[in-house]
Amino acid sequence: MKILPYQPDQSGLAYTVGTTLDRFIKLKQSDFPYASGELSQLLRDIALASKIVNRETNRAGLSSIGGAFGQTNVQGEEQQKLDVIANIRFMRALSKGGEVCAIVSEEEDAVIDLQNKSGKYVVAIDPLDGSSNIDVNISIGTIFSIYRRKTPVGSPILKEDIMQKGTEQVAAGYVLYGSSTMLVYTTGFGVNGFTYENSLGEFFLSHPDIQAPKTGQIYSVNEGLYNDFDPSIRSYIEECKTRKYSARYIGSLVADFHRNLLKGGIYLYPATKKNPSGKLRLLYEANALAFIAEQSGAMAVDGKQRILEIEPTSLHQRTPLFIGSEQMVNEIQSMILNTNGQIKEYHH
Ligand code: AHM
Ligand code: MG
């Protein structure tokens, strides 16, 4: 009888492609000696809620006939729009976990105080972004930022706990409900992506240590608003066309960002006449993606400064957003800063 010793993975890494998200989070816990497990648990809570939202997303087309299938629950939740349902799911998961004291959500006017005496963390979340795509079976996403509260645990929530700059994030991520469902997150030590395996109900590491290409050939912008854009932005778009870049715009920030992160490209949502500060929200859209962008070697600016350095002044504040491959963001930034709107020479 032949007995062979098991040959473990030779990479020397404690984790490899195929590691489950739970295990990965556990292995990475040592990055936060101060965190004593709460941040890890919080990330798991978010992952669990995202699995539930993923399930709801998959049956979104059935929801209007949900009653016919006898799927009415006591709250009659299937009557509600998916973004409202997603909000409920994340709120529940975050309030039950016990690690979070307050939540800022796109779906809530005010800060939600979870009345959780031991919660160290504040979460800003867009539970379901890309709302115009929900009803037409196109990719949508969840975006989240995690901060440590500034005031002592157990004391009343104050403005300084909520209005923190993006640089203060301890973790951020997004979930993309697309052709497959992915969770991508950072805790400030690089960016890792996990793909959801439906039949096993698990996220598995599929994109370790994501590095964004330094430049790319994709630009993502709602070009229907072209005439509203500043001349410098229009010049940049013209330059993209001269270079025969590909125009790709889904209208779901997470999906457009994710593609550009992997392939190289830039996403732009500048100021328009309708939205003089841009459309996207600083606290629960721009900051999280800016943190991920920078951690992967990409960039995110509002045209004047890093997104992460913007001082928040209100809960649902908007910001122009230029995010993606470093070289492309630098190019557009220098065109914006050139006040004449003249095209500067720039090089690949
Ligand atoms: P939402 O939070 O209401 O879904 O709005 C955010 C979305 C982004 O996902 C997307 O990139 C953008 O709005 C699209 O806006 P527009 O339709 O103006 O191009
Ligand atoms: Mg949104």
Side-chain angles (χ1 to χ4, degrees):
M1 184 180 72
K2 205 171 161 191
I3 298 178
L4 287 174
Y6 171 63
Q7 297 289 333
D9 174 65
Q10 300 294 311
S11 69
L13 285 172
Y15 58 88
T16 50
V17 165
T19 302
T20 65
L21 176 63
D22 268 7
R23 188 167 168 70
F24 185 86
I25 289 173
K26 198 169 170 207
L27 288 166
K28 288 287 184 178
Q29 198 167 298
S30 53
D31 287 345
F32 301 96
Y34 65 82
S36 62
E38 287 109 324
L39 180 62
S40 298
Q41 188 51 45
L42 172 49
L43 289 166
R44 285 193 204 98
D45 293 344
I46 290 176
L48 176 62
S50 76
K51 289 179 192 176
I52 298 169
V53 171
N54 179 57
R55 191 190 62 196
E56 312 275 4
T57 305
N58 284 336
R59 54 179 285 271
L62 285 173
S63 57
S64 57
I65 53 170
F69 282 102
Q71 288 165 333
T72 314
N73 66 12
V74 275
Q75 290 97 1
E77 276 169 9
E78 81 286 355
Q79 306 299 337
Q80 287 168 309
K81 287 190 60 125
L82 206 51
D83 39 8
V84 178
I85 295 176
N87 189 47
I88 295 169
R89 299 297 184 216
F90 279 102
M91 286 280 171
R92 260 185 214 160
L94 295 175
S95 63
K96 281 190 182 148
E99 306 85 17
V100 180
C101 58
I103 301 176
V104 176
S105 165
E106 168 153 345
E107 299 293 329
E108 307 281 350
D109 288 343
V111 177
I112 304 297
D113 180 349
L114 294 179
Q115 314 270 323
N116 177 3
K117 295 278 177 266
S118 58
K120 281 185 195 162
Y121 295 98
V122 171
V123 172
I125 189 162
D126 184 351
L128 212 57
D129 184 61
S131 36
S132 64
N133 284 331
I134 293 175
D135 294 335
V136 287
N137 206 3
I138 293 176
S139 300
I140 42 186
T142 295
I143 310 173
F144 62 91
S145 288
I146 302 174
Y147 297 85
R148 276 171 81 86
R149 64 176 298 175
K150 293 281 181 201
T151 54
V153 174
S155 62
I157 308 292
L158 296 182
K159 195 173 170 194
E160 66 212 74
D161 296 320
I162 307 296
M163 299 292 183
Q164 300 194 46
K165 287 202 280 192
T167 47
E168 300 295 302
Q169 290 171 101
V170 292
Y174 60 83
V175 184
L176 172 60
Y177 311 96
S179 47
S180 59
T181 294
M182 281 194 71
L183 188 150
V184 176
Y185 82 97
T186 183
T187 51
F189 298 87
V191 179
N192 291 283
F194 299 79
T195 302
Y196 187 61
E197 218 295 1
N198 261 304
S199 58
L200 298 172
E202 284 274 14
F203 283 103
F204 291 94
L205 181 63
S206 52
H207 295 65
D209 194 21
I210 295 174
Q211 300 289 330
K214 287 292 162 205
T215 190
Q217 307 217 328
I218 295 172
Y219 71 106
S220 308
V221 62
N222 184 345
E223 232 174 311
L225 304 173
Y226 182 91
N227 291 332
D228 275 5
F229 295 156
D230 186 81
S232 57
I233 311 290
R234 297 207 291 243
S235 301
Y236 181 78
I237 292 173
E238 291 309 317
E239 186 59 32
C240 289
K241 291 179 179 182
T242 307
R243 294 181 194 169
K244 301 199 186 314
Y245 285 176
S246 293
R248 294 284 183 272
Y249 189 72
I250 297 174
S252 279
L253 174 59
V254 171
D256 281 314
F257 173 78
H258 181 72
R259 181 201 48 241
N260 295 352
L261 180 73
L262 298 186
K263 290 191 167 182
I266 184 169
Y267 173 99
L268 307 72
Y269 211 116
T272 61
K273 290 200 179 94
K274 185 177 162 205
N275 289 311
S277 304
K279 179 183 181 194
L280 299 165
R281 313 293 183 150
L282 176 63
L283 286 188
Y284 43 78
E285 291 177 330
N287 267 342
L289 300 187
F291 190 20
I292 290 171
E294 291 198 2
Q295 282 292 315
S296 68
M299 265 181 87
V301 301
D302 69 352
K304 296 189 204 98
Q305 60 177 332
R306 279 167 79 205
I307 291 289
L308 296 182
E309 277 172 7
I310 300 173
E311 194 77 59
T313 51
S314 71
L315 222 47
H316 298 285
Q317 143 181 13
R318 298 174 193 268
T319 176
L321 179 63
F322 306 96
I323 189 166
S325 295
E326 185 183 83
Q327 206 172 311
M328 301 174 90
V329 176
N330 270 325
E331 284 170 1
I332 197 164
Q333 168 113 310
S334 60
M335 290 175 83
I336 294 167
L337 293 177
N338 177 352
T339 43
N340 299 327
Q342 299 207 327
I343 302 177
K344 266 191 176 177
E345 237 186 273
Y346 39 77
H347 310 276
H348 280 283

